[in-house]
Amino acid sequence: MIDEVIRVFKQLDSKDIRILTGIEIGMKDYEWVPVENVMKFTRMTYDHLSFRLKKLGKLKMFAFTTVPYEGYQIYFEGYDALALHTFVQRKTISAIGNEIGVGKESVVLEAMKEPELGIGDPEGVVIKFHREGRTSFTQVKRNRSHIGDREHMSWIYAARLAAKREADVISKLYPEVSVPKLIDYNRHALVMEVAKGSLLYKTKLEEPQWFLDEILRQLKLAYAKGIIHADMSEYNTFVHEDGVQLIDWPQYIEPSHPHADELLERDISNILSFFRRKYELEAELERSMAYVKGQ
């Protein structure tokens, strides 16, 4: 689990990181990376490497097999450690806090970032670790168009692609569309500013009509940039006194997608249904669709 990674992260030294990196790189070509490949990458003798691997194994950084050969496969915990190491080296983060969100395909932590030029107080940020493919890479491959026809890609690499995809779309949307600012990303993890306000489904709104209109306006701005969220709901919408912020974009599609209208309709229908249930607000789906599409 992610809290275990945080606990053991300080126990890892540069050689441990290099071993994990060697396994990570090898997984582009192997389901189980041969120990000879790890030896070649790390330039360690077999005895020295074996000693180090025992330590990492106890920390549950990887899995291994001896059939039909001695091979290694990184766990998400090992991958988390590599991403955290990179963020620390880049000075993107200076401290790691508690787990604040867990889903089927992501884990979110709070963290701190030192201010630019060392002036001022540390800034609160969040780290989002993608988990696509953790339970079934075959299922993820079937449901994620960005994975395409890669038959031998590891499930851990699927998470890396999802993170890059989300980083790219956030960079495209920000700042015209109200999304949290991307600060950095590496491997399967993104560092972003903390979303403003609170989640829509947890909040009692005094002016629900205004917030409904604002959500639709943000979806319209995104559509004008060629982006459809494709997973929109009250669970990935933050509201605050000045507006809204939309999060969780890795499943986005473009208007040219063969099911674009269907998925956009589902996005809007989810939002309209929420406001209907909780606030008895009525809005026409067809008219809202036309508004978002700029028609």
Side-chain angles (χ1 to χ4, degrees):
M1 298 297 292
I2 192 72
D3 54 349
E4 184 68 10
V5 176
I6 297 170
R7 187 182 69 79
V8 304
F9 180 65
K10 292 183 179 180
Q11 300 181 40
L12 304 180
D13 59 27
S14 60
K15 291 183 178 179
D16 297 326
I17 295 295
R18 187 159 182 82
I19 291 170
L20 293 174
T21 303
I23 299 173
E24 171 200 13
I25 291 173
M27 285 182 66
K28 293 180 180 179
D29 300 309
Y30 296 92
E31 181 178 3
W32 296 96
V33 182
V35 67
E36 292 82 6
N37 290 48
V38 185
M39 289 172 58
K40 184 177 180 180
F41 180 84
T42 59
R43 299 180 182 178
M44 295 181 186
T45 65
Y46 180 78
D47 288 343
H48 186 192
L49 179 61
S50 295
F51 174 78
R52 289 272 177 175
L53 287 170
K54 286 181 181 178
K55 167 190 172 182
L56 293 173
K58 290 179 181 178
L59 297 178
K60 299 180 180 179
M61 295 285 104
F62 59 75
F64 73 95
T65 184
T66 57
V67 179
Y69 57 85
E70 183 179 348
Y72 295 85
Q73 183 183 94
I74 200 168
Y75 274 161
F76 265 113
E77 284 77 1
Y79 213 40
D80 293 343
L82 288 175
L84 287 173
H85 174 77
T86 299
F87 290 143
V88 170
Q89 290 295 304
R90 292 177 180 172
K91 301 187 185 303
T92 301
I93 60 172
S94 56
I96 306 168
N98 296 322
E99 186 178 277
I100 56 174
V102 182
K104 290 181 180 179
E105 298 182 340
S106 66
V107 176
V108 180
L109 295 182
E110 46 184 12
M112 300 298 293
K113 178 183 183 297
E114 290 300 319
E116 298 294 333
L117 304 177
I119 301 174
D121 296 325
E123 172 189 357
V125 296
V126 297
I127 310 173
K128 179 179 180 179
F129 294 92
H130 276 266
R131 289 287 190 263
E132 278 81 353
R134 182 174 190 172
T135 55
S136 172
F137 174 67
T138 301
Q139 182 178 355
V140 168
K141 181 178 183 297
R142 186 165 57 244
N143 295 330
R144 298 289 186 274
S145 60
H146 59 277
I147 292 176
D149 296 324
R150 298 172 177 86
E151 295 293 344
H152 303 292
M153 186 176 65
S154 69
W155 40 267
I156 226 162
Y157 194 51
R160 184 179 188 133
L161 281 182
K164 182 182 187 306
R165 180 176 170 82
E166 185 165 27
D168 289 345
V169 72
I170 289 174
S171 298
K172 183 175 181 177
L173 294 172
Y174 185 88
E176 288 84 1
V177 181
S178 186
V179 296
K181 180 182 179 181
L182 177 69
I183 296 170
D184 196 3
Y185 92 94
N186 179 258
R187 294 176 170 88
H188 65 317
L190 292 80
V191 179
M192 297 178 286
E193 70 176 4
V194 178
K196 297 178 182 178
S198 57
L199 282 165
L200 175 59
Y201 81 96
K202 292 182 176 180
T203 310
K204 176 64 175 177
L205 302 176
E206 293 185 3
E207 299 181 71
Q209 183 68 60
W210 187 90
F211 282 98
L212 172 56
D213 293 343
E214 181 62 17
I215 293 169
L216 293 176
R217 190 176 77 87
Q218 293 301 326
L219 294 178
K220 179 178 181 177
L221 291 172
Y223 190 90
K225 284 181 166 289
I227 302 297
I228 298 170
H229 190 288
D231 192 30
M232 195 70 224
S233 75
E234 64 270 27
Y235 299 104
N236 45 33
T237 304
F238 276 78
V239 293
H240 55 91
E241 61 181 9
D242 297 319
V244 304
Q245 279 195 322
L246 310 182
I247 64 170
D248 292 341
W249 290 85
Q251 295 187 49
Y252 85 90
I253 60 169
E254 298 176 349
S256 59
H257 189 282
H259 301 294
D261 280 354
E262 175 186 340
L263 292 170
L264 177 61
E265 180 176 325
R266 187 181 70 182
D267 278 356
I268 296 173
S269 180
N270 286 343
I271 295 300
L272 297 187
S273 295
F274 170 78
F275 279 90
R276 186 181 303 114
R277 288 194 313 271
K278 190 165 182 177
Y279 298 103
E280 299 182 348
L281 283 181
E282 294 294 337
E284 292 182 14
L285 176 59
E286 188 173 325
R287 178 176 294 182
S288 298
M289 280 276 292
Y291 169 75
V292 170
K293 295 174 73 173
Q295 298 173 351

